[in-house]
């Protein structure tokens, strides 16, 4: 199972939007609506930000949104804030009770 | 408060085994599978597998099949992950994670750093 492909970095100024892509295959991202996104600050455990492509857990600001088209999922952070600076990882169900993670994207708030 | 607390850091020689524990609290332990995920420093995550706390049934990622064992002690709400035949490539931060029922992981342990070095 190959890792999902994410851009290594993305950036934006406070108040702007940034979108991160997550590209997989028909066997994972494209085959199921089970893409999740995680935020990880340095030295901390990951935090679930989006599940089932576009759903937000309780407590996650609505500035975070997710979508999917074909084999590519996307996370958009609108109205960037300083605390959004972190690493972001996607994950997808890959069938047969297996999961795969993305390579990770470092988001910098300029 | 729902929490997963993992055992402390480990240093192992190549060829050895390591066993990491993950104690759950604040929820019904048997209601959720327990997953294990690792993160190589500065890199992404690798999903390792899961265990069903009721049946003890497991499912492992292809990369880890034959080398990983996952067990459960429901009497103390604790899951274990044992990785055998360690190499330097196994140096990583190992996490246990609880699924949210929708193929996402909403509760994570604090991580256990495993260092493999001769």
């Amino acid at each position: 199972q190959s890792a999902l492909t994410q851009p290594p970095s993305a950036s934006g100024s406070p108040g702007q939007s940034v979108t991160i892509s997550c590209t997989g295959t028909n066997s994972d991202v494209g085959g199921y609506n089970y893409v999740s996104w995680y935020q990880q600050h340095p030295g901390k455990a990951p935090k679930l930000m989006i599940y089932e492509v576009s759903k937000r857990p309780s407590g996650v600001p609505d500035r975070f949104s997710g979508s999917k088209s074909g084999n590519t999922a996307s996370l958009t952070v609108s109205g960037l804030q300083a605390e959004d600076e972190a690493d972001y990882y996607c994950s997808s169900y890959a069938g047969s009770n297996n999961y795969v993670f993305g390579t990770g994207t470092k988001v910098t708030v300029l | 408060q729902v929490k997963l607390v993992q055992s402390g850091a480990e240093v192992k020689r190549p060829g050895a085994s390591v066993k990491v524990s993950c104690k759950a609290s604040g929820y019904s332990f048997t209601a959720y599978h327990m997953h294990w995920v690792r993160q190589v420093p500065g890199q992404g995550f690798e999903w390792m597998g899961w265990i069903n706390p009721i049946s003890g049934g497991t499912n492992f990622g292809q990369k880890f099949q034959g080398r990983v064992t996952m067990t459960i002690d429901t009497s103390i709400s604790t899951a274990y992950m044992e990785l055998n035949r360690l190499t330097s490539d196994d140096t990583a931060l190992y996490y246990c994670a609880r699924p949210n029922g929708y193929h996402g992981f909403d509760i994570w342990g604090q991580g256990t750093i495993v260092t493999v070095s001769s």
Side-chain angles (χ1 to χ4, degrees):
Chain A
Q1 192 76 46
S2 298
L4 307 176
T5 300
Q6 298 180 233
S9 62
S11 62
S13 299
Q16 289 186 333
S17 295
V18 65
T19 297
I20 305 165
S21 62
C22 168
T23 301
T25 68
N26 290 334
S27 298
D28 37 62
V29 174
Y32 308 92
N33 288 323
Y34 295 135
V35 176
S36 302
W37 289 91
Y38 302 87
Q39 177 191 67
Q40 187 182 37
H41 288 109
K44 301 293 187 181
K47 176 184 177 182
L48 179 65
M49 305 301 285
I50 295 286
Y51 66 97
E52 285 190 334
V53 176
S54 61
K55 297 179 180 178
R56 281 187 308 277
S58 173
V60 172
D62 60 7
R63 302 185 292 103
F64 291 85
S65 61
S67 62
K68 191 187 86 166
S69 178
N71 294 338
T72 298
S74 298
L75 173 72
T76 297
V77 186
S78 305
L80 267 175
Q81 298 183 4
E83 61 261 34
D84 299 332
E85 185 162 295
D87 294 327
Y88 291 82
Y89 295 89
C90 61
S91 172
S92 176
Y93 180 68
S96 301
N97 294 309
N98 290 309
Y99 296 81
V100 61
F101 281 86
T103 51
T105 298
K106 181 176 180 60
V107 169
T108 301
V109 181
L110 302 171
Chain B
Q1 177 189 5
V2 178
K3 208 162 52 169
L4 300 175
V5 178
Q6 299 182 221
S7 48
E10 301 267 11
V11 179
K12 296 292 181 181
R13 299 291 191 198
S17 298
V18 68
K19 190 171 185 177
V20 180
S21 68
C22 170
K23 182 172 177 60
S25 61
Y27 72 96
S28 174
F29 182 66
T30 54
Y32 299 85
H33 290 185
M34 187 67 76
H35 291 243
W36 291 87
V37 179
R38 77 178 187 182
Q39 183 177 28
V40 175
Q43 298 184 27
F45 292 92
E46 287 184 293
W47 177 80
M48 299 181 70
W50 56 255
I51 181 167
N52 180 327
I54 295 178
S55 67
T58 54
N59 187 57
F60 304 133
Q62 192 171 10
K63 179 174 181 176
F64 301 98
Q65 286 178 6
R67 210 160 63 91
V68 68
T69 303
M70 295 181 186
T71 54
I72 288 279
D73 186 341
T74 54
S75 69
I76 55 172
S77 300
T78 299
Y80 301 90
M81 186 282 299
E82 183 172 21
L83 190 62
N84 304 314
R85 303 192 301 277
L86 294 169
T87 73
S88 57
D89 290 341
D90 294 316
T91 293
L93 189 56
Y94 289 77
Y95 289 100
C96 55
R98 191 195 79 168
N100 68 343
Y102 302 98
H103 300 283
F105 304 109
D106 61 345
I107 305 296
W108 293 69
Q110 83 276 20
T112 296
I113 184 75
V114 175
T115 303
V116 183
S117 175
S118 55

